[in-house]
Amino acid sequence: MIPNPFKRGVKVPDSVVRAAGLRPGERVLAGTQADGDAWLLGTHEALHVVRGSGEDLRIPWERVERADWDRDEERLVVSEVGEFGRVRPQHSFAVEEPGLLLELVRERVTASVVLQRRVAVRGKRGLTVIGRRPPGGDGEVAWAYEFDPGVDPEDPAVMAAAEAALRTAQGDLGL
């Protein structure tokens, strides 16, 4: 019999939940062990990485740009929303039993996107305007641009198109 890597329940020890430093009202919806002593905990607000070394990490769902699961390597790679001109934070975790965590990551990241609009600048190349907020619906909408390869964000024509698209998107949301 082949073991199912997507089994429903991965029991998170109480000591790990306490160490996560969850906010009042925040509770663990899914979790799994990763990279030896590290634990990945998903709540309705964020992905928490709890390490025995104390180098814990909290990534709000609206700050997760993408999360990729490599089934062959049993590895979860989480990329955070980046800032222009800076290296985008990326975290990689070896995970043998993801349990419900993968489903939760997909659902929470998707729920944080309130608007995504594609804008052509030159031919098929362009940018995407993305509006995100905490998946619970409260909080400010954070806006970002994602530029296609070969599109220069410092080009005045590109920035003008981006700013016009942003104003339209904000208007569509009544902001």
Side-chain angles (χ1 to χ4, degrees), residues 3-175:
N4 180 2
F6 300 100
K7 70 181 185 180
R8 303 302 285 176
V10 176
K11 176 69 176 137
V12 179
D14 291 339
S15 61
V16 172
V17 174
R18 283 192 302 274
L22 303 179
R23 294 178 175 179
E26 192 175 14
R27 64 184 181 89
V28 175
L29 302 174
T32 192
Q33 192 163 12
D35 298 332
D37 68 344
W39 281 84
L40 305 178
L41 309 179
T43 71
H44 64 285
E45 294 182 9
L47 174 66
H48 292 264
V49 181
V50 180
R51 296 184 174 102
S53 63
E55 296 176 26
D56 299 343
L57 180 63
R58 180 182 192 278
I59 309 170
W61 295 120
E62 67 273 16
R63 297 291 307 162
V64 176
E65 180 180 340
R66 65 181 299 136
D68 296 307
W69 171 248
D70 183 329
R71 182 183 304 252
D72 295 333
E73 297 291 324
E74 295 183 326
R75 183 158 295 279
L76 177 65
V77 178
V78 177
S79 300
E80 292 186 50
V81 173
E83 295 179 31
F84 180 68
R86 295 187 177 200
V87 175
R88 179 173 291 140
Q90 191 174 66
H91 314 279
S92 180
F93 309 97
V95 177
E96 290 182 20
E97 297 180 28
L100 292 175
L101 187 67
L102 298 179
E103 290 176 41
L104 180 69
V105 168
R106 177 172 303 166
E107 187 273 328
R108 294 282 79 194
V109 171
T110 300
S112 75
V113 177
V114 294
L115 184 138
Q116 191 166 323
R117 177 157 302 139
R118 177 93 179 117
V119 178
V121 177
R122 288 193 180 91
K124 292 183 179 181
R125 288 187 181 177
L127 61 110
T128 303
V129 176
I130 305 164
R132 300 180 74 180
R133 71 164 45 128
D138 55 343
E140 296 286 320
V141 175
W143 295 96
Y145 301 114
E146 187 173 288
F147 297 94
D148 290 347
V151 174
D152 181 4
E154 295 182 4
D155 179 328
V158 171
M159 280 316 302
E163 290 170 6
L166 176 60
R167 284 191 302 276
T168 300
Q170 289 172 326
D172 289 350
L173 293 179
L175 303 175

